[in-house]
Amino acid sequence: MSELVPGGNTPLPSGTLTLRVPGPFDVSALITDDSGEVRGDGDFVFYNQPTAPGARLQGEQLTIDPPRLRPGASRVTVVISPADAGTPLGRLPAPTLYVCGPDGRALTRFTPPRPQRETVLLLAELYRRGTGWKLRALGQGYADGLAGIARDFGVDVAEGHATSDAAPVSDTDGFLGLVNTARARAGSPPVRLDARLADAARAHAVGMAARGLLSSESSDGVSVHQRVTSAGYAYLTAGEHLVSGPRTPAEFVEYCLSAEQSRRTLCDPAFSQAAVAYVPDPRTGDLYWTALWARPFSPAGLERTAGEVIALTNAERTRAGLPPLSTDTLLTTAAQAHSADMVARAFYSHTSPEGSQPWDRAAAVGCARRTIGENIACGQRSAAEVVRGWMDSPGHRANILKPGFTHIGVGLAGGGKAGMYWTQLFGG
């Protein structure tokens, strides 16, 4: 039986698979296509709806028969939450996922890093690759319960039942209409309001108003990006506007559209959800604004963004007359684990807190390539932005264009002090 680490994957045999998470947990599953969203209520398998085509939940055990999933299904995301609703996972034993094949033989297991305040964990996903299926270890936590997970996958959970229409956040001041009008003019899709982003925006605006200071960090050192994840919102990309002075939402939106960089954020087609809060300075009455823009995390989005980084990297190599790099699953596993580790343990370095280096991390997941190189970055919001930044840095550029490298793995994770944390791991 193999042991997976975050980001690691393993091929699965054909036939019915059994997944089990023993302990005081509820197991759920979300069945999606490559878009990362469900088609409707029937794609959410949980304690009140334990069956779907190709999937059945019985207590701590989930059985999946991939060929019998509904047409178009290409992913099954396995979710756990405390059986005692509201209990943080950090107060419970560390969960372990056990996967068995059709013959009952144990195939693999995965124990994620111990959760803390999270109340829900995206534990793993089964996904189609060609004609077969694979399992990827995730370990991505949420602090907003099953309702938050369901919203981000396209459903909602209310009073124990699944429904495809999430209760909307009220747009009492017209902000959303102003924003979506501007986005439509730029050719970008509309965004919708999200209550978790609204909570994070208000908390940050309150802190700025109390100090009379525009800042991406509060007085206790918590960044606006960390506030987003603390509100229970796991994101794939996020942006913000921190502004003082405008007196109305219309003035605020006009201000954001007045400069190229802030206009690009407001109209970024990558964002699908938003929120705004404005709070007066108790001394001067000036309004302090925080607007947040984000796209929620999904396994499909993670894979898609990593693929964009690789494609852009290979485009740079092609322009330099070099052969493209091939994706390596072991390098991908190590890269994803390092990005997640930098977020979880609040550091930014090629050297981990216990002293491990890129080649140590590659060897730890079984990679035997003779030469290893690593690029890391933080704060960039997109694949294009991070690759452009690396190419503008001589040392990072040298890794991307090194002739001796033949393979690559990419990892990314959001929620740290600087936002997104990116890792490229090269091998040759």
Side-chain angles (χ1 to χ4, degrees):
M1 179 172 61
S2 64
E3 184 90 30
L4 291 177
V5 299
N9 59 67
T10 186
L12 296 169
S14 59
T16 301
L17 304 161
T18 302
L19 295 81
R20 186 169 61 89
V21 184
F25 308 106
D26 283 332
V27 180
S28 308
L30 290 143
I31 300 165
T32 65
D33 53 24
D34 287 337
S35 72
E37 291 198 351
V38 299
R39 284 189 179 176
D41 299 353
D43 284 347
F44 188 22
V45 178
F46 67 120
Y47 47 84
N48 270 356
Q49 186 170 266
T51 61
R56 182 176 183 83
L57 178 64
Q58 294 176 292
E60 66 184 28
Q61 182 172 292
L62 176 70
T63 56
I64 303 291
D65 187 359
R68 300 187 64 183
L69 294 171
R70 55 99 170 150
S74 58
R75 297 173 185 269
V76 179
T77 303
V78 181
V79 180
I80 64 160
S81 54
D84 180 11
T87 301
L89 288 167
R91 296 182 185 174
L92 302 177
T96 297
L97 171 69
Y98 296 89
V99 183
C100 294
D103 58 0
R105 181 174 60 88
L107 301 174
T108 189
R109 69 181 179 185
F110 169 54
T111 303
R114 188 177 183 87
Q116 298 300 318
R117 291 173 296 175
E118 296 91 338
T119 56
V120 175
L121 203 65
L122 299 185
L123 193 56
E125 66 164 347
L126 290 78
Y127 63 100
R128 183 188 294 135
R129 179 64 74 231
T131 59
W133 285 73
K134 302 181 78 172
L135 176 84
R136 179 184 289 117
L138 296 174
Q140 173 70 54
Y142 277 63
D144 200 29
L146 280 178
I149 292 281
R151 276 194 302 268
D152 291 347
F153 278 77
V155 297
D156 190 33
V157 177
E159 299 179 1
H161 298 281
T163 171
S164 58
D165 296 316
V169 181
S170 176
D171 182 27
T172 57
D173 54 13
F175 167 77
L176 189 63
L178 293 164
V179 164
N180 282 334
T181 297
R183 287 174 64 87
R185 291 196 190 107
S188 298
V191 292
R192 65 183 187 274
L193 297 177
D194 182 89
R196 295 159 298 171
L197 291 178
D199 288 344
R202 178 159 186 80
H204 196 76
V206 165
M208 292 194 301
R211 298 165 68 194
L213 177 68
L214 285 176
S215 176
S216 62
E217 294 185 11
S218 61
S219 58
D220 57 1
V222 177
S223 77
V224 65
H225 304 98
Q226 291 169 317
R227 285 203 182 279
V228 172
T229 51
S230 293
Y233 191 104
Y235 62 83
L236 191 65
T237 184
E240 74 284 342
H241 285 108
L242 308 177
V243 178
S244 66
R247 294 163 296 178
T248 66
E251 288 185 9
F252 172 78
V253 172
E254 182 180 2
Y255 175 86
C256 292
L257 293 172
S258 66
E260 176 60 28
Q261 183 173 348
S262 59
R263 180 170 63 250
R264 191 182 306 124
T265 297
L266 188 148
C267 296
D268 192 331
F271 297 136
S272 61
Q273 296 178 335
V276 70
Y278 45 96
V279 176
D281 181 326
R283 298 167 294 275
T284 66
D286 292 340
L287 293 181
Y288 281 77
W289 298 73
T290 299
L292 296 174
W293 317 87
R295 176 173 292 276
F297 173 87
S298 71
L302 176 68
E303 183 177 353
R304 184 169 54 250
T305 305
E308 291 171 359
V309 172
I310 294 172
L312 290 167
T313 297
N314 281 334
E316 296 292 347
R317 287 178 64 89
T318 298
R319 276 192 282 272
L322 296 168
L325 302 171
S326 299
T327 304
D328 183 288
T329 55
L330 296 177
L331 292 176
T332 299
T333 297
Q336 182 61 39
H338 189 56
S339 286
D341 192 30
M342 287 191 290
V343 169
R345 295 202 281 174
F347 74 97
Y348 177 64
S349 175
H350 295 289
T351 305
S352 71
E354 64 273 7
S356 70
Q357 301 288 339
W359 42 89
D360 299 319
R361 294 189 287 271
V365 299
C367 180
R369 300 195 180 278
R370 291 182 298 174
T371 57
I372 295 292
E374 184 179 79
N375 286 344
I376 58 174
C378 65
Q380 296 82 1
R381 296 175 184 169
S382 69
E385 187 178 346
V386 73
V387 173
R388 184 168 59 248
W390 280 326
M391 288 300 293
D392 288 341
S393 166
H396 298 99
R397 178 187 179 93
N399 270 341
I400 288 175
L401 301 182
K402 184 171 180 176
F405 287 146
T406 58
H407 289 76
I408 187 174
V410 170
L412 57 140
K417 187 177 286 290
M420 294 296 299
Y421 286 68
W422 307 77
T423 303
Q424 280 182 318
L425 199 57
F426 304 92

